[in-house]
Amino acid sequence: MKNRCIAAFTFLLVAGATAHAGTYTQTVNYSFTFEEAPFLTFDGFDDQGGALQLDAMSFDWNLNYAIDYRVENTGPTAVAAGDFSMTIDYYNIHQLGIGDGFPAYGSGGMYTSIEDVALAAYDPAPGGDDTHYGEYAFGYDRVLEFTAVDDPVFIEAMVQPGEIETVYGGFGGIQFFWINEPIGWDPPSGPFGEPIYPTDDAIWLFLESTRHFGTVTLTYEYSEVPEPTTAVLVGAMSLVVLRRRKLG
């Protein structure tokens, strides 16, 4: 008698667990002058030892700008509205870390012009018609998004547990243009062709106060790191015993 065993084994392939997505949001208030470059502190993204991955993040900026300024004429003759134009611009830079080598981006900025201002001839007495006081206010919202696929250096800068100090500053300038240049004004007497206040004939712009303020909301979009695919042996085995009887 011969016995033959035929074993049939079944393998079941089990994929890793499906990743679950999530978000984490935080809001920071800020207020500073144009000359400052303050630190903005955020909670870094904690990947929990590699169990989570940061897929994207967004900075939702509420941007507000306020300027109080003074325009003064130290020339010997009056100037009419439209005789000159001045522009003020200021642009913000947000760097995701302190020091060299950290990524940075432009969060926003402002631009304005001063044109329709008439000024009398220079009068040394304060508060005369040779001086104009004005103000500027402007605000808007802007959202900037960074993804692990397109912006890996930005994502990597924020992947660390604990607080992260970032630098938020700006740069800008003032420009002046004559539209109808007056006749008889003396040229500037300062070095490099710059006028000297208040002795030279010129139009002057003084920023009495500047303020940039608002909020920024940082949102992390993350998911679980998928487990590796595994093969599981299912103990489904069928045993067939064949018996063959020999007849005599």
Side-chain angles (χ1 to χ4, degrees):
M1 181 175 64
K2 294 182 179 179
N3 296 335
R4 290 187 299 173
C5 296
I6 302 175
F9 298 89
T10 302
F11 291 87
L12 177 62
L13 192 65
V14 180
T18 302
H20 299 285
T23 60
Y24 174 72
T25 299
Q26 54 189 302
T27 299
V28 174
N29 298 313
Y30 66 90
S31 179
F32 59 95
T33 67
F34 287 6
E35 292 79 16
E36 297 177 89
F39 298 145
L40 302 183
T41 303
F42 298 91
D43 293 334
F45 178 75
D46 186 355
D47 65 0
Q48 299 184 13
L52 302 177
Q53 61 185 17
L54 182 56
D55 302 316
M57 65 181 180
S58 61
F59 291 91
D60 186 349
W61 289 93
N62 171 244
L63 303 157
N64 300 277
Y65 304 88
I67 302 173
D68 291 330
Y69 62 87
R70 179 176 99 248
V71 181
E72 185 175 352
N73 177 17
T74 56
T77 59
V79 293
D83 280 351
F84 66 89
S85 174
M86 287 181 171
T87 62
I88 307 171
D89 56 16
Y90 178 76
Y91 304 99
N92 293 109
I93 299 293
H94 186 207
Q95 179 175 292
L96 304 185
I98 300 175
D100 298 330
F102 290 97
Y105 68 94
S107 61
M110 55 132 293
Y111 173 90
T112 187
S113 60
I114 303 170
E115 296 177 342
D116 296 326
V117 174
L119 300 170
Y122 178 54
D123 179 0
D129 290 337
D130 61 347
T131 301
H132 168 81
Y133 294 90
E135 59 184 27
Y136 168 83
F138 182 62
Y140 62 100
D141 296 327
R142 188 184 185 202
V143 179
L144 296 106
E145 185 177 59
F146 304 91
T147 67
V149 174
D150 297 328
D151 314 288
V153 293
F154 288 89
I155 296 295
E156 291 167 4
M158 301 302 288
V159 178
Q160 56 177 296
E163 293 184 340
I164 298 177
E165 284 193 328
T166 67
V167 183
Y168 186 53
F171 64 94
I174 299 173
Q175 296 188 33
F176 177 87
F177 308 92
W178 278 117
I179 298 173
N180 297 308
E181 187 171 358
I183 300 173
W185 286 27
D186 292 333
S189 62
F192 310 108
E194 297 295 325
I196 297 176
Y197 178 84
T199 57
D200 282 354
D201 301 342
I203 302 295
W204 303 88
L205 174 64
F206 300 92
L207 300 183
E208 302 288 287
S209 68
T210 62
R211 181 63 52 180
H212 177 42
F213 61 95
T215 61
V216 53
T217 299
L218 170 59
T219 299
Y220 293 132
E221 299 179 25
Y222 64 90
S223 60
E224 296 179 358
V225 176
E227 298 177 2
T229 301
T230 57
V232 178
L233 174 63
V234 178
M237 179 180 68
S238 61
L239 177 63
V240 179
V241 179
L242 300 179
R243 295 183 179 180
R244 190 167 54 184
R245 182 176 298 175
K246 194 173 185 180
L247 300 177

